[in-house]
Amino acid sequence: MYRVFEALDELVAIIEEARGIPPTRNCIVPRGEVLELLDDVREALPGELDDAQDVLDHRDKIVTDARVGAETTVKTANEQAHHTVTSARDEADRILADAKAHADRMVAEARAHADHLVASAEAEAERVVADGNQEYETVTTRARTEADRAVAAGQASYDRSVADGKAEQERLVSATEVVRAAHAESARLIDTAQSDSDRLRQECDDYVDGKLADFEETLHSTLRIVGRGRHQVRSGSSVPDYSSEFRPESSAGFRPESTGFRR
């Protein structure tokens, strides 16, 4: 490339030093030297310029082919992208449908389990209440029988005391002091019999009241257990366990032997 610039500089110097032709702007240059310099320039130019010229000559065809190739590539990419998006959307719909079906199945199973727990708790509560009612009837009947027996015994003791007092009164009716003593003794016996009868009745009432209080505590405990189980079922925090709550000892308070009732 250096020889090209050197030859061009020489051509410029020849043209600047050439003799002009008046009155024009033309000049006379030595043909042989100019042609030699032009040959030097032609030979000094690299072969890549010819290749570049060929590229320029074929640029329209290259650009057209490149545009067609680009359009084909874009079309193929668009088709592939559309296919990919469609496949992804179909896969997403399938996954969503499977997830919804799985969620519906889990909700149905959870609802069935909750219904089963509630039904079990209600059945257990009804059984406990039925047992409590039966125990209440038994204790009440037993207490009523014991009260009736105690009242009958008190009444019999009272009648015997009255009869004894009347007999003693009739036997000692002849003497004033004896009669007064008999009256006093009769009154004392009557008061004692009445006191015993009232005491027995009070003890019977206390016994029945104690049994009813025990039964009331059992019912309250049962209702609290059922309420806690229903709360746990509604909140889903855990599965209630009633096996530790309903033990045979829960009705131990109904044994009449545990009271202070005296026969």
Side-chain angles (χ1 to χ4, degrees):
M1 289 295 296
Y2 176 77
R3 178 56 185 161
V4 172
F5 294 119
E6 186 180 13
L8 291 176
D9 291 337
E10 292 179 1
L11 284 174
V12 171
I14 290 174
I15 292 173
E16 289 177 350
E17 295 175 357
R19 186 177 55 187
I21 302 175
T24 65
R25 294 177 58 85
N26 296 329
C27 65
I28 299 173
V29 296
R31 179 182 300 174
E33 294 181 6
V34 172
L35 291 176
E36 289 180 359
L37 291 174
L38 290 176
D39 290 336
D40 292 340
V41 170
R42 184 182 295 109
E43 291 177 357
L45 290 176
E48 286 79 359
L49 292 178
D50 293 336
D51 296 336
Q53 185 63 42
D54 293 338
V55 170
L56 291 176
D57 293 340
H58 296 83
R59 63 180 179 179
D60 295 335
K61 181 177 181 303
I62 293 173
V63 170
T64 302
D65 294 341
R67 184 180 295 107
V68 172
E71 291 176 355
T72 303
T73 302
V74 170
K75 182 179 179 181
T76 303
N78 289 333
E79 292 177 353
Q80 186 175 1
H82 178 70
H83 176 71
T84 302
V85 171
T86 302
S87 301
R89 186 179 293 109
D90 294 340
E91 184 67 17
D93 293 339
R94 185 186 64 79
I95 293 174
L96 181 61
D98 293 341
K100 185 177 182 302
H102 184 65
D104 294 339
R105 184 170 63 255
M106 292 181 65
V107 169
E109 292 176 355
R111 185 178 291 111
H113 183 63
D115 293 339
H116 175 70
L117 292 177
V118 171
S120 300
E122 291 178 350
E124 187 67 20
E126 291 176 357
R127 185 187 65 78
V128 172
V129 171
D131 293 342
N133 289 332
Q134 183 178 1
E135 187 69 19
Y136 166 75
E137 293 295 335
T138 302
V139 172
T140 304
T141 302
R142 188 181 304 158
R144 190 179 294 112
T145 302
E146 187 68 21
D148 293 340
R149 188 191 66 77
V151 170
Q155 188 66 38
S157 177
Y158 169 75
D159 292 339
R160 285 196 305 272
S161 298
V162 171
D164 293 343
K166 287 181 179 180
E168 186 67 20
Q169 181 182 14
E170 291 174 356
R171 188 178 63 82
L172 300 174
V173 73
S174 58
T176 303
E177 295 294 333
V178 175
V179 170
R180 284 199 298 269
H183 278 292
E185 183 66 19
S186 176
R188 186 186 66 77
L189 292 174
I190 291 172
D191 292 339
T192 302
Q194 186 65 40
S195 177
D196 291 340
S197 177
D198 292 340
R199 180 179 57 78
L200 290 173
R201 184 179 297 276
Q202 183 62 38
E203 290 181 356
C204 179
D205 292 341
D206 292 341
Y207 173 74
V208 173
D209 183 68
K211 296 295 104 179
L212 292 177
D214 292 339
F215 178 66
E216 182 181 10
E217 180 62 23
T218 301
L219 288 181
H220 287 173
S221 177
T222 301
L223 292 176
R224 286 196 301 271
I225 293 170
V226 172
R228 185 165 63 252
R230 295 185 64 190
H231 175 71
Q232 292 176 351
V233 169
R234 288 195 301 270
S235 62
S237 60
S238 61
V239 178
D241 182 15
Y242 301 100
S243 61
S244 61
E245 300 289 346
F246 300 103
R247 297 194 296 267
E249 289 81 5
S250 61
S251 61
F254 292 101
R255 292 198 299 271
E257 291 78 9
S258 62
T259 66
F261 186 83
R262 292 178 292 181
R263 300 179 181 273

